Amino acid sequence: MFKIDNNGDMTNPLEQKRAESGKNEGEIDWNYEESINSPRYLEAVKRVREKAKRQSDNPQNFLYYIKDYMWGDFWIAFVDEEEEDKFIGAVENSSPEELVKFVNQFSEESQNYGSGTDILHWDISSKCVDAVVAKFLDVLTDAKKEKGDEVYRGLSNTWMPLVFDFVEYMKKTGAIPDDYQLPGYSVSENSKETDAHLYLRFKEQFLFVEYLRNNPGKAEILERLSLKYGLGWARAFLSLEHDRKMGDKLISIGNELRDDAARAIFDKFSEIVGAAWEIEKYLKENFGEEKRFFYDTMDRISESTMRRGTDLLARLSEMPPDQILGELEKIKTETLLFLSSFRALKKGGHGIDFETIKDIEFRSVEGAEISPKDIERMREIYRGNYASQPELCEKLLEVFDQALNNPKTAFYILRYKGEIVSFLRFDEGEKEDRLYLGSVNVAPDFRGSAIGEAIMEKTVDMKAKESVLDADCNALSDIGAHYLETGFVAVRLYDYAGVPSFQIERNDRKNYPGKSMSRKDMVEKSKDQPLSDFGDFITSSSLERNPEALNFGLLDRGFVLSRYFKDGQRWYCLFEKRKELEVERKAA
């Protein structure tokens, strides 16, 4: 896949493919991993190594020596086995500025990794990576001792992301495995046998050990709490990335709260971390071709999730543990909804717009938590969506105002670049197993966003697993038809502010066979007749979209409307006999 000239040099494979195919760069399909393992590439690397050795003047600073060789668009960086000691020595003797300069290139270049420009090939051993990581820990520890807390916090906030980027980059190039462990990591010999040692990721290990190095007098209590609370306690040290004072706070939580309350909070925090990692794993496995945006997106999701979790832990003195636990559960649920949405997009054959996702924020809040500015934005979206139906809009806004003051109402709000673009709400009813779905709105300029629609639909799916959902919708609108094609059935037709409206219900424990019928079968059974009676169900079809033509009156005769869609120029409906008894869902 690589062209090698007579001098043993390489040219960019994208340039080669573009020349051969006449296609633009964005249209070319190539695989980076396959390319770097191709015989031609490996032969080219060998020749480049030989050429570099012949030309080397053995510069004193080996850290810069290894990146001084570039042929075409390829950087080739390598350390032979016999040169490992020289590399490690250069790292150990480097100044903090030299180390930062060396590692900083990985943060810059990782944005272009696999994009066809400046492809880097690093061929260094895990021992060399260990040396860089260990030196960084030494540098941070020395900075705290020599320059004080304030300067140290500033430096660590700058330097830590660099070492994390370096390690991630080394994983991508294969220098270290995905489960890379911090060199010599352990709180003590005893803790090596705990789950915390076995399942912590590098970043968690680094933050944990960095705190321990800076607080050596707390080693005994850290070990005791690690053994007592396990993985959840150790993972909570990720909060140090956002608040350098959280280490002492975590010790306080572990010492002062009841054991069951502290364990529940730490475990829930660990579940949030796990949910964020599940997203990362899924995106890596299914959308690897989007490397240019993937890592930035993951950083945004993780940053938002972890910062919210950290802020809650920091407020433990202000809020009771049960409330903290509930808020942490909300964060976990919202994170899992992102994952469900990505899976739905993949299943539906959609790509993921990483540029959009990185600026999306999704939260559930009570009405009292919504600011006046955001309430006005939500009203604005209402008015835009119902501009042609002012009377209906005013009635809906009255209901919206009531919901804002209802403590049993939860709003789910989607923001893009900080501005609300979509929202819905769930009201608790008199029956514990029923919720009312309302205020479903999408800003006109955000319609068609695949990820936005997926997040909102998965929110409804999640609630439907827990409760029966009730709602109302315009019987002659596209959204009304969409509801009936995605789990709901219409149980009643009525007039609301002059608009024909459905009362709809979603009960996933009721089995309506028509829901699984394909649209093709429905169209064939209907034979484009106004009404076709098949006993257990009735189909109707019409070129006109009105209650009479589509026989909505069947809702008053013991039927529900379970299907409602347009095919070609005709509208089709399927009515099934109402099921009063619930049929438990079969295990998936």
Side-chain angles (χ1 to χ4, degrees):
M1 297 180 70
F2 289 78
K3 181 179 179 181
I4 306 174
D5 64 24
N6 293 331
N7 295 320
D9 298 337
M10 297 175 293
T11 59
N12 190 319
L14 285 181
E15 292 286 352
Q16 180 185 342
K17 279 199 168 188
R18 182 161 54 241
E20 293 173 352
S21 66
K23 293 182 178 180
N24 294 323
E25 180 178 315
E27 301 172 318
I28 297 173
D29 182 25
W30 77 299
N31 184 286
Y32 177 76
E33 284 73 17
E34 290 179 3
S35 299
I36 65 172
N37 289 311
S38 68
R40 287 188 174 185
Y41 180 76
L42 295 176
E43 176 63 22
V45 170
K46 180 180 178 182
R47 294 186 185 184
V48 168
R49 281 168 170 263
E50 293 171 353
K51 187 172 183 179
K53 284 184 178 182
R54 289 196 303 271
Q55 295 179 352
S56 171
D57 57 0
N58 194 23
Q60 186 174 3
N61 194 331
F62 196 73
L63 294 182
Y64 303 118
Y65 159 70
I66 63 173
K67 67 164 291 184
D68 275 346
Y69 299 96
M70 180 177 177
W71 283 262
D73 287 329
F74 289 81
W75 286 103
I76 307 299
F78 56 90
V79 178
D80 285 339
E81 263 185 54
E82 61 269 22
E83 295 176 315
E84 275 186 359
D85 289 342
K86 184 164 61 172
F87 177 89
I88 293 171
V91 170
E92 291 175 346
N93 295 320
S94 63
S95 67
E97 293 72 24
E98 289 173 328
L99 185 69
V100 168
K101 183 178 179 182
F102 169 68
V103 175
N104 191 55
Q105 67 186 290
F106 298 93
S107 176
E108 295 168 357
E109 300 290 355
S110 62
Q111 300 303 315
N112 289 329
Y113 178 83
S115 65
T117 61
D118 293 341
I119 307 300
L120 283 87
H121 176 80
W122 284 86
D123 189 1
I124 64 178
S125 70
S126 61
K127 289 183 181 179
C128 295
V129 178
D130 287 349
V132 173
V133 172
K135 178 65 176 181
F136 245 103
L137 271 172
D138 291 341
V139 166
L140 286 169
T141 303
D142 292 343
K144 183 175 178 66
K145 291 178 181 177
E146 298 171 5
K147 301 182 179 181
D149 288 349
E150 187 173 344
V151 173
Y152 158 73
R153 282 195 291 270
L155 291 174
S156 63
N157 288 339
T158 302
W159 291 351
M160 277 192 184
L162 295 180
V163 73
F164 296 153
D165 283 343
F166 169 74
V167 168
E168 287 303 312
Y169 199 89
M170 290 295 100
K171 289 179 183 178
K172 285 184 283 183
T173 59
I176 54 176
D178 285 340
D179 59 353
Y180 174 71
Q181 300 280 300
L182 187 68
Y185 165 68
S186 69
V187 178
S188 75
E189 289 303 314
N190 293 334
S191 66
K192 287 185 177 181
E193 303 304 320
T194 68
D195 287 346
H197 172 75
L198 294 174
Y199 297 107
L200 285 184
R201 284 191 170 190
F202 171 75
K203 182 184 287 189
E204 296 167 323
Q205 296 171 20
F206 191 95
L207 289 163
F208 195 99
V209 171
E210 190 260 350
Y211 179 81
L212 178 59
R213 280 195 172 197
N214 287 318
N215 299 272
K218 296 178 180 178
E220 184 178 341
I221 192 170
L222 285 173
E223 179 185 359
R224 178 171 60 80
L225 293 175
S226 293
L227 292 171
K228 185 175 184 178
Y229 295 117
L231 183 62
W233 150 261
R235 277 186 169 173
F237 271 79
L238 276 178
S239 61
L240 286 169
E241 188 176 10
H242 305 290
D243 185 346
R244 308 304 297 170
K245 299 178 181 179
M246 278 303 298
D248 293 343
K249 184 70 177 179
L250 294 173
I251 290 176
S252 176
I253 293 172
N255 275 334
E256 297 173 11
L257 278 189
R258 296 190 326 268
D259 288 357
D260 58 338
R263 182 172 288 104
I265 288 174
F266 292 140
D267 287 350
K268 189 60 64 178
F269 193 94
S270 177
E271 290 173 11
I272 291 172
V273 175
W277 287 352
E278 281 297 311
I279 292 179
E280 178 182 344
K281 179 182 176 183
Y282 185 79
L283 292 180
K284 278 184 177 178
E285 291 175 351
N286 293 278
F287 297 92
E289 72 278 3
E290 301 287 351
K291 286 187 178 72
R292 282 174 292 178
F293 304 122
F294 168 78
Y295 290 98
D296 191 21
T297 300
M298 275 310 310
D299 285 345
R300 295 288 186 95
I301 293 175
S302 297
E303 169 77 16
S304 174
T305 301
M306 297 307 302
R307 187 172 293 281
R308 289 176 65 197
T310 299
D311 290 345
L312 280 171
L313 292 181
R315 295 176 60 193
L316 195 55
S317 60
E318 307 167 18
M319 299 169 63
D322 287 348
Q323 188 176 352
I324 294 286
L325 201 58
E327 292 298 315
L328 289 173
E329 177 63 29
K330 283 168 61 175
I331 296 173
K332 174 193 167 185
T333 299
E334 293 158 12
T335 306
L336 289 175
L337 280 171
F338 263 102
L339 177 59
S340 296
S341 303
F342 294 147
R343 285 175 171 157
L345 291 174
K346 179 69 174 180
K347 186 176 181 180
H350 300 285
I352 289 185
D353 182 356
F354 284 93
E355 279 292 297
T356 298
I357 291 173
K358 71 181 183 182
D359 291 316
I360 277 182
E361 180 185 342
F362 183 62
R363 299 274 183 91
S364 59
V365 296
E366 294 182 5
E369 300 175 70
I370 305 175
S371 71
K373 179 181 178 181
D374 284 340
I375 290 174
E376 184 52 40
R377 168 61 177 167
M378 295 163 84
R379 290 175 178 278
E380 178 187 319
I381 294 174
Y382 258 114
R383 295 188 187 103
N385 288 337
Y386 295 94
S388 63
Q389 299 168 298
E391 182 182 350
L392 174 61
C393 183
E394 288 308 310
K395 283 186 171 292
L396 292 174
L397 284 173
E398 288 178 13
V399 177
F400 171 68
D401 288 339
Q402 294 170 7
L404 287 171
N405 296 310
N406 183 355
K408 293 186 176 181
T409 292
F411 284 87
Y412 286 76
I413 297 176
L414 187 71
R415 296 175 187 270
Y416 178 61
K417 294 186 176 179
E419 186 170 64
I420 294 176
V421 293
S422 184
F423 59 95
L424 53 78
R425 75 173 205 271
F426 293 99
D427 306 332
E428 292 182 19
E430 294 181 1
K431 296 183 178 180
E432 291 185 1
D433 65 339
R434 299 189 83 94
L435 293 174
Y436 182 83
L437 167 65
S439 299
V440 181
N441 280 273
V442 180
D445 57 354
F446 201 71
R447 289 175 189 162
S449 165
I451 184 61
E453 292 176 1
I455 289 173
M456 288 308 197
E457 286 193 9
K458 286 302 174 183
T459 302
V460 174
D461 290 344
M462 174 192 71
K463 291 295 185 180
K465 291 179 180 178
E466 305 166 354
S467 308
V468 177
L469 303 182
D470 296 307
D472 296 272
C473 64
N474 184 338
L476 303 181
S477 67
D478 289 344
I479 188 63
H482 177 74
Y483 281 136
L484 300 190
E485 288 297 293
T486 54
F488 286 86
V489 297
V491 298
R492 184 170 74 94
L493 178 71
Y494 66 100
D495 181 271
Y496 185 78
V499 177
S501 301
F502 284 141
Q503 176 185 333
I504 61 177
E505 166 190 287
R506 178 168 171 178
N507 186 338
D508 289 357
R509 290 172 292 181
K510 290 183 179 180
N511 180 26
Y512 287 102
K515 286 290 187 186
S516 59
M517 188 182 299
S518 70
R519 291 191 176 190
K520 181 180 179 181
D521 286 346
M522 266 193 63
V523 171
E524 289 179 354
K525 286 181 180 296
S526 174
K527 301 185 185 299
D528 293 344
Q529 297 300 309
L531 202 67
S532 300
D533 191 341
F534 295 92
D536 289 337
F537 63 90
I538 297 173
T539 62
S540 67
S541 70
S542 174
L543 290 170
E544 300 179 43
R545 191 183 194 182
N546 62 62
E548 293 76 22
L550 291 172
N551 293 282
F552 288 166
L554 288 169
L555 295 176
D556 295 326
R557 293 164 49 188
F559 287 86
V560 300
L561 176 59
S562 62
R563 300 294 300 279
Y564 182 18
F565 62 88
K566 188 176 185 180
D567 186 83
Q569 298 299 312
R570 299 185 71 87
W571 285 93
Y572 294 87
C573 293
L574 187 145
F575 298 86
E576 300 186 63
K577 289 183 178 179
R578 188 188 305 271
K579 295 183 181 296
E580 301 298 340
L581 297 177
E582 295 182 349
V583 178
E584 294 295 332
R585 289 171 294 182
K586 294 181 179 179

